């Protein structure tokens, strides 16, 4: 696994994997759950336009390389004799979501778009987590078995309320994927949710690091190497403390109870 992210080829991923793709020159990543057969379930702010900085995938633009129908909406192919109705996705096409839900089904090509494919790592140790240059690419928390991951994702796709209201800070695409993979949700009254990507930006030492870099380059002032090292170290440590595998304000929630839990939390 790299220090920035872990790039993979599409043929390397397996059903139940948490995948992501970087957007806008690696400024942020969009996350989803691969459920097999070139299909991805992910969470978007369907009410926003595709120009949204944090939600470029909110409006699915189906390219010629789309793995499914060129039409966004329903199709009704014949299911196989061994089709499991509860987990079957063959009646849905790329871009499907319930009218009031941002949980969306896309083909793998549309999810990746013009970017590359990366896989999120689970069950990493503390030092591996701290060593990463940026957040939102791994967690200390171990993953549930693939069947449980896919069940959560498919259930929320078919639910009329999905993953409730999209919020870039508290309830975004990474939060959705983390829940599907682990079954845990944040219950603490914090400004951010479980997203490592958001928490890495919100970490308190981040601003001082930038300010000190600015002073060093622009103002030509001298900075103590110990001061810089301590500030950077605090950033990595604060980012680690917000990981869902470390923090103590998370609780396991059955997928059937997600709506009531999130409603009570104000989502």
């Amino acid at each position: 696994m790299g220090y920035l992210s872990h790039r993979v080829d599409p043929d390397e991923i397996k059903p139940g994997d948490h995948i992501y793709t970087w957007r806008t020159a690696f400024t942020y990543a969009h996350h989803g759950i691969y459920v097999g057969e070139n299909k991805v379930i992910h969470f978007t702010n369907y009410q926003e336009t595709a120009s949204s900085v944090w939600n470029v995938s909110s409006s699915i633009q189906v390219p010629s390389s789309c793995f499914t129908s060129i039409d966004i909406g329903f199709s009704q192919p014949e299911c196989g004799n061994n089709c499991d109705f509860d987990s079957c996705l063959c009646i849905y096409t790329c871009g499907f979501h319930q009218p009031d839900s941002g949980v969306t089904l896309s083909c793998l090509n549309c999810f990746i778009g013009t970017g590359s494919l990366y896989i999120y790592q689970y069950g990493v140790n503390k030092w591996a987590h701290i060593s990463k240059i940026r957040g939102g690419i791994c967690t200390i928390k171990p993953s549930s078995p693939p069947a449980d991951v896919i069940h959560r994702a498919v259930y929320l796709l078919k639910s009329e309320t999905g993953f409730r209201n999209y919020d870039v800070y508290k309830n975004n695409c990474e939060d959705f994927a983390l829940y599907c993979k682990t079954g845990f949700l944040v219950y603490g009254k914090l400004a951010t949710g479980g997203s490592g990507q958001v928490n890495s930006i919100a970490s308190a030492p981040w601003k001082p690091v930038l300010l000190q870099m600015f002073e060093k380059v622009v103002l030509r002032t001298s900075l103590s190497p110990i001061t810089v090292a301590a500030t950077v170290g605090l950033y990595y440590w604060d980012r680690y403390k917000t990981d869902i595998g470390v923090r103590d304000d998370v609780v396991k929630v059955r997928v059937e109870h997600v709506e009531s839990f999130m409603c009570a939390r104000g989502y």
Side-chain angles (χ1 to χ4, degrees), residues 21-208:
T21 180
W22 291 104
R23 307 290 202 222
T24 317
F26 287 84
T27 55
Y28 73 102
H30 186 61
H31 299 251
I33 299 296
Y34 181 64
V35 293
E37 298 182 351
N38 293 315
K39 295 177 180 178
V40 183
I41 297 177
H42 54 118
F43 185 45
T44 70
N45 186 355
Y46 70 96
Q47 295 177 326
E48 297 291 334
T49 65
S51 62
S52 171
V53 172
W54 278 86
N55 199 44
V56 73
S57 297
S58 58
S59 292
I60 299 296
Q61 303 295 321
V62 182
S64 59
S65 58
C66 179
F67 282 126
T68 56
S69 170
I70 61 172
D71 297 317
I72 297 178
F74 288 100
S75 65
Q76 298 292 334
E78 292 293 330
C79 295
N81 293 331
N82 297 322
C83 179
D84 180 350
F85 180 77
D86 289 335
S87 61
C88 178
L89 293 172
C90 63
I91 65 171
Y92 307 111
T93 57
C94 184
F96 169 80
H97 64 82
Q98 297 288 2
D100 296 318
S101 170
V103 180
T104 303
L105 178 72
S106 297
C107 76
L108 186 59
N109 274 2
C110 292
F111 177 82
I112 298 173
T114 59
S116 298
L117 185 63
Y118 301 83
I119 191 166
Y120 204 98
Q121 297 289 297
Y122 283 79
V124 303
N125 63 49
K126 177 172 69 174
W127 302 114
H129 186 284
I130 292 176
S131 71
K132 305 311 170 190
I133 295 175
R134 64 190 306 167
I137 63 174
C138 66
T139 177
I140 303 293
K141 203 77 169 175
S143 171
S144 298
D148 292 343
V149 176
I150 295 171
H151 170 69
R152 294 180 189 122
V154 172
Y155 184 96
L156 293 172
L157 173 70
K158 295 183 177 183
S159 168
E160 292 184 0
T161 55
F163 205 55
R164 296 290 294 179
N165 298 319
Y166 183 97
D167 185 286
V168 65
Y169 301 109
K170 301 179 182 178
N171 197 43
N172 61 34
C173 58
E174 186 184 350
D175 291 300
F176 169 79
L178 285 168
Y179 170 72
C180 291
K181 286 288 286 185
T182 68
F184 280 84
L185 291 171
V186 177
Y187 66 83
K189 295 182 179 179
L190 299 177
T192 61
S195 169
Q197 183 172 205
V198 171
N199 285 317
S200 68
I201 297 172
S203 294
W206 183 254
K207 184 176 179 180

